[in-house]
Amino acid sequence: MKVHTIKTTPFTDQKPGTSGLRKKVTHFQQPHYLENFVQSIFNVATDLKDQRLILGGDGRYYNSHAIQVILKIAAANGIKHVMVGENGLLSTPAVSHLIRKYQAAGGIILSASHNPGGPEGDFGIKFNIANGGPAPTTFTDTVYEKSKNIKEYLIADAEDISLNQQDNYYIGGMQITVINSVTDYADLMEQLFDFPKIKSLFTSGLFSICFDAMHAVTGPYAKEIFSKRLCANVGAVINGTPLEDFGGGHPDPNLAHATELVAKLNTSANTAPDFGAASDGDGDRNMIIGQNFFVNPSDSLAIMAANAHLLPGYKQGVCGVARSLPTSRAVDKVAESMGIDCYETPTGWKYFGNLLDDKRITLCGEESFGSGSDHIREKDGIWAVLFWLNLIAIKQQSVEKILHAHWLRFGRHYYTRHDYEALDSTLANELIQNLRAQTTSLTGNNYNDYKVVLCDDFSYVDPVDGSIAKNQGIRILFADDSRIVFRLSGTGTEGATLRVYIERYITDPSQFDLTTQEALAPLIDIANRLSEVQKRFKRETPNVIT
Ligand code: G16
């Protein structure tokens, strides 16, 4: 094998965010940009040498090209074996599972998650470590440092590999196995859930599902699992063919973007499916909806914690739970009643890894449409859908009934997130700094009926390795358990995105049927006043409300 050593100059902006390096495709297309970052990963992950690597992505534009480049750089850097998904497709949860199942030393996932794709859209690269989870900040910070000083990268002189056929190939001494993207993952799901019971739900003819794969990676997984293995109704999977530009859509499973699915569920016609769900670009997010009924992701996590013991894969019970800072505290109430620990972590799935490895938690989740368990080390969209289907098959109740019963037992956390996108980064940082400067003085203040009892900039000390993450978000806690959190997104590719998270806890059942924005109106007003968001950015309303 001939290896070329290519001289290069560093880029200064290869700092991974909340979840890997995300940039516009056109940015990645600059000469050496992709190669520099990949070589920087190999320069840090030296334990990959002579080991196995898992490689795949969500099928977005630039996926196939990046895979061929990475294979050649991997061969030149002494990797022994790469398992790559057929047609370059692997969902993020599937990569996490494959790393663990085949004892790989790591995995590279090509995705910008829920961000739009296509030549004008976004692209991204994530590195996962041997436990199957996202690389911790210590790793990504070191990659960033290396990228700022890189002088050369190594690349094998080789032909492109045929990715559309399951087979073994070689670049020099490195073996490449093109694998079925779905089978191993589908088999794992079959171990965790009661497939015969879910199947009988569908074959009864009384229950139907609509799953929106949003022309992203989960299409093939959904067809194999819901349609083939579980014999779901005709039309169970929509937008099931992965496309490089996601069909021009925005593959983010929320009410604003999964409009086709929402329209199917929010109708009085008797054609409406009983259950709706969607997943994102790389298959780790999920949205769950019933007929005319949206399940808030924070509530979904709480429902999972309260009911997991009913499902075969979790019959030993839940040892502990975790949620990210901005996720509502609905799961905290469940943990309290179960007498188990509930951890509050910064935003980012990587913070759950140590808690899962140390067996402190079984379930974890985030408001950003992510939930998962100790079965892998990523959030998992299809898994969440199966969890709900299994629960419905056991309880024989609608999504709405399950939620109402939960609120009666634990109370209801009304919850919303307001996103202001593409803001001037300097002004956005100033807004946060201004709030940070007020954290001490706000405590004790009254805003109408709301008294501030705690205000700080959230810091997290990892209880397993003692690592510290500072400045993770401004949180304001009120005497009635309401909360407002402000932080800047770490996943955007254009300017800054301000996220404002607002929640209110209600125990009076006569107040369980307010609209969310109505229930939260006084707190939204306080958040706007404190942040001065309208005045600072001349924006009357958020771009996205979830
Ligand atoms: C990523 C992370 C999540 C995080 C989300 C939003 O999700 O994996 O942990 O909650 O971004 O992060 P931010 O608020 O910083 O934009 P995904 O699905 O995009 O990989």
Side-chain angles (χ1 to χ4, degrees):
M1 176 181 66
K2 191 169 171 198
V3 171
H4 296 293
T5 302
I6 309 288
K7 297 283 170 220
T8 187
T9 47
F11 294 87
T12 54
D13 65 350
Q14 299 197 319
K15 185 173 171 56
T18 309
S19 183
L21 183 69
R22 288 185 195 171
K23 301 282 175 198
K24 293 273 172 225
V25 168
T26 46
H27 204 85
F28 264 103
Q29 284 171 327
Q30 298 173 82
H32 310 304
Y33 194 87
L34 171 71
E35 291 84 350
N36 275 15
F37 188 69
V38 173
Q39 182 65 57
S40 301
I41 291 176
F42 286 123
N43 288 347
V44 179
T46 46
D47 50 349
L48 286 175
K49 201 162 188 298
D50 293 325
Q51 298 294 318
R52 179 175 291 134
L53 176 79
I54 310 295
L55 176 63
D58 63 11
R60 67 178 59 224
Y61 185 79
Y62 217 52
N63 197 55
S64 305
H65 170 76
I67 286 182
Q68 300 293 351
V69 170
I70 293 168
L71 286 173
K72 290 169 197 172
I73 297 180
N77 279 276
I79 307 307
K80 188 173 171 197
H81 184 205
V82 180
M83 293 172 81
V84 52
E86 196 173 0
N87 296 315
L89 291 178
L90 282 177
S91 74
T92 288
V95 170
S96 185
H97 175 51
L98 290 166
I99 293 172
R100 295 165 70 79
K101 179 167 178 178
Y102 295 105
Q103 279 119 43
I108 294 180
I109 306 169
L110 305 168
S111 174
S113 185
H114 55 289
N115 296 14
E120 305 302 319
D122 291 347
F123 188 72
I125 302 191
K126 307 187 272 186
F127 182 70
N128 282 29
I129 56 175
N131 77 347
T137 316
T138 42
F139 181 95
T140 51
D141 284 350
T142 316
V143 170
Y144 176 47
E145 290 309 317
K146 293 268 180 205
S147 78
K148 287 193 288 189
N149 296 302
I150 192 165
K151 292 192 173 63
E152 60 186 33
Y153 60 85
L154 305 178
I155 188 159
D157 189 348
E159 293 293 313
D160 282 0
I161 299 299
S162 165
L163 295 173
N164 57 9
Q165 211 172 322
Q166 291 169 39
D167 210 337
N168 282 300
Y169 304 88
Y170 287 86
I171 298 180
M174 184 181 86
Q175 183 186 357
I176 299 159
T177 310
V178 177
I179 58 166
N180 182 298
S181 309
V182 174
T183 309
D184 287 298
Y185 176 83
D187 292 348
L188 174 67
M189 294 301 113
E190 207 158 345
Q191 286 161 26
L192 292 172
F193 299 108
D194 190 343
F195 269 38
K197 201 166 186 94
I198 302 174
K199 191 170 166 181
S200 64
L201 194 63
F202 289 124
T203 51
S204 71
L206 300 172
F207 181 87
S208 60
I209 177 180
C210 182
F211 176 82
D212 189 351
M214 305 189 89
H215 284 306
V217 78
T218 50
Y221 294 85
K223 286 179 194 164
E224 169 69 22
I225 294 172
F226 302 135
S227 303
K228 202 162 147 209
R229 298 198 187 189
L230 292 169
C231 302
N233 49 289
V234 173
V237 179
I238 60 170
N239 302 318
T241 306
L243 297 175
E244 286 196 331
D245 66 348
F246 308 118
H250 192 145
D252 197 358
N254 59 35
L255 295 177
H257 295 304
T259 44
E260 184 182 345
L261 173 76
V262 172
K264 280 183 192 291
L265 273 287
N266 288 3
T267 166
S268 51
N270 59 9
T271 50
D274 300 282
F275 180 84
S279 189
D280 68 332
D282 60 331
D284 55 3
R285 295 185 174 206
N286 75 88
M287 175 175 72
I288 304 293
I289 51 180
Q291 289 178 348
N292 290 296
F293 193 85
F294 167 69
V295 181
N296 187 283
S298 301
D299 277 350
S300 183
L301 175 63
I303 298 264
M304 287 173 170
N307 295 286
H309 62 282
L310 302 172
L311 275 57
Y314 303 92
K315 60 176 186 290
Q316 317 294 1
V318 172
C319 67
V321 290
R323 61 160 174 82
S324 62
L325 158 74
T327 304
S328 100
R329 292 176 303 161
V331 73
D332 301 36
K333 295 286 174 200
V334 178
E336 197 182 310
S337 90
M338 289 167 74
I340 57 172
D341 285 334
C342 177
Y343 296 86
E344 182 174 48
T345 62
T347 295
W349 207 261
K350 56 192 168 209
Y351 294 103
F352 296 136
N354 276 350
L355 301 174
L356 290 162
D357 285 350
D358 205 43
K359 301 195 186 316
R360 289 169 181 252
I361 60 169
T362 308
L363 295 170
C364 42
E366 295 186 90
E367 54 69 41
S368 54
F369 295 80
S371 35
S373 84
D374 56 3
H375 67 292
I376 53 172
R377 295 294 180 271
E378 285 279 4
K379 56 186 184 276
D380 191 343
I382 298 256
W383 169 89
V385 178
L386 287 166
F387 193 113
W388 270 93
L389 288 173
N390 203 152
L391 192 60
I392 290 168
I394 292 167
K395 292 197 176 248
Q396 297 288 323
Q397 286 175 341
S398 69
V399 172
E400 185 171 353
K401 279 230 163 72
I402 291 174
L403 258 297
H404 269 279
H406 185 88
W407 294 335
L408 278 176
R409 193 168 158 211
F410 297 101
R412 175 169 186 185
H413 288 77
Y414 281 100
Y415 183 85
T416 193
R417 187 181 92 196
H418 288 195
D419 289 346
Y420 296 85
E421 296 174 342
L423 303 176
D424 178 282
S425 298
T426 309
L427 294 180
N429 279 310
E430 271 172 30
L431 181 149
I432 293 290
Q433 273 158 21
N434 182 49
L435 287 167
R436 190 174 290 138
Q438 295 179 58
T439 48
T440 319
S441 60
L442 283 182
T443 308
N445 284 6
N446 284 295
Y447 298 90
N448 303 330
D449 299 337
Y450 294 91
K451 180 176 173 145
V452 178
V453 291
L454 175 115
C455 180
D456 66 2
D457 192 351
F458 180 65
S459 283
Y460 177 66
V461 181
D462 185 306
V464 180
D465 65 15
S467 58
I468 300 171
K470 289 186 176 161
N471 299 338
Q472 295 298 316
I474 309 294
R475 59 175 180 178
I476 305 176
L477 180 64
F478 298 91
D480 70 340
D481 261 4
S482 296
R483 235 178 29 142
I484 301 173
V485 174
F486 298 92
R487 60 179 283 280
L488 298 182
S489 160
T491 57
T493 56
E494 221 183 313
T497 296
L498 172 70
R499 302 204 196 280
V500 187
Y501 313 83
I502 299 155
E503 80 185 73
R504 181 176 163 207
Y505 180 52
I506 302 274
T507 50
D508 173 4
S510 73
Q511 305 233 349
F512 283 169
D513 292 313
L514 308 174
T515 70
T516 299
Q517 300 304 310
E518 182 187 4
L520 296 173
L523 286 153
I524 293 170
D525 186 51
I526 296 170
N528 290 344
R529 275 163 53 199
L530 291 176
S531 64
E532 302 171 327
V533 60
Q534 276 97 348
K535 192 176 91 197
R536 286 169 183 266
F537 300 105
K538 314 227 172 345
R539 295 265 183 106
E540 280 311 307
T541 50
N543 300 75
V544 177
I545 296 181
T546 63

